[in-house]
Amino acid sequence: MTIDDSLHLQATDALSSYWQMACEFFPRLHKYSAPQLGFHLRGTAAGMAYLNEHRIALNLVLLKENTVAVLNDVVGHEVAHLCAYYVYGSRIKPHGAEWKHVMGLFGLPARARHSFDVSNTQRRKVWRHAYACNCTGKVFWLGAQRHSRIAKGHVYKCLKCHTSLHSMNQKTNEALPQRSIRSA
């Protein structure tokens, strides 16, 4: 997916506006140019501030679907992360009091999460592996980490019948419920 010139210009203007506002509130930020802006972010995150790289990335799918909200709220949210980092240092919480203070100066609500529809975004596929115990009809869908541990000799047991789980040689990437197991 590519970004058209008009949307790129709008995003750059929003970033410049928030950075200029930040420099007015915190004069020490004048020594930094406006952060770089990228549109490569995938998944369900709307934006990301890369503190050590002085750049911000936006999710192009969410930007196109929620242009006004992303430009007004998400860009300000990410600039607030950079400001809090440069003004208060690296030992602050990502959405702590310092970040909330900057958000307040920007006139934005200090929300850590967005509420955009993410059904059109690209998400990582999570593979689940089928395991069974001696209980009738019980299937346990284990993630890659537990599957790998079992392959290395770790044993997981059913909490009901206390027998070791064994592979059914099936896997899927669909969302599945978890069953109760314990590490032996």
Side-chain angles (χ1 to χ4, degrees), residues 46-156:
M48 178 84 64
Y50 296 91
L51 305 176
N52 293 323
E53 299 173 26
H54 191 65
R55 69 182 175 95
I56 290 172
L58 297 176
N59 185 317
L60 188 53
V61 173
L62 294 178
L63 175 61
K64 286 184 174 184
E65 292 179 355
N66 309 281
T67 304
V68 174
V70 170
L71 295 177
N72 291 339
D73 298 339
V74 176
V75 172
H77 175 115
E78 302 309 332
V79 169
H81 279 299
L82 290 174
C83 292
Y85 174 75
Y86 291 131
V87 172
Y88 301 106
S90 61
R91 294 181 175 256
I92 61 172
K93 292 182 180 178
H95 297 110
E98 299 84 0
W99 173 82
K100 289 177 182 175
H101 173 70
V102 177
M103 290 291 283
L105 293 174
F106 288 167
L108 295 173
R111 289 190 304 259
R113 304 271 187 265
H114 66 75
S115 58
F116 304 137
D117 175 15
V118 295
S119 59
N120 293 328
T121 61
Q122 293 178 346
R123 284 174 270 174
R124 189 179 69 126
K125 289 184 178 179
V126 178
W127 288 96
R128 301 266 181 219
H129 302 266
Y131 283 81
C133 65
N134 291 341
C135 294
T136 309
K138 272 204 173 182
V139 176
F140 299 88
W141 292 96
L142 304 183
Q145 189 171 24
R146 284 187 172 164
H147 176 69
S148 177
R149 286 181 182 162
I150 289 173
K152 294 175 184 174
H154 195 88
V155 176
Y156 288 95

Side-chain angles (χ1 to χ4, degrees), residues 19-20 22-33:
W19 190 252
Q20 194 171 23
C23 289
E24 290 171 14
F25 291 126
F26 305 105
R28 73 174 82 171
L29 294 178
H30 281 290
K31 66 182 176 182
Y32 300 102
S33 60

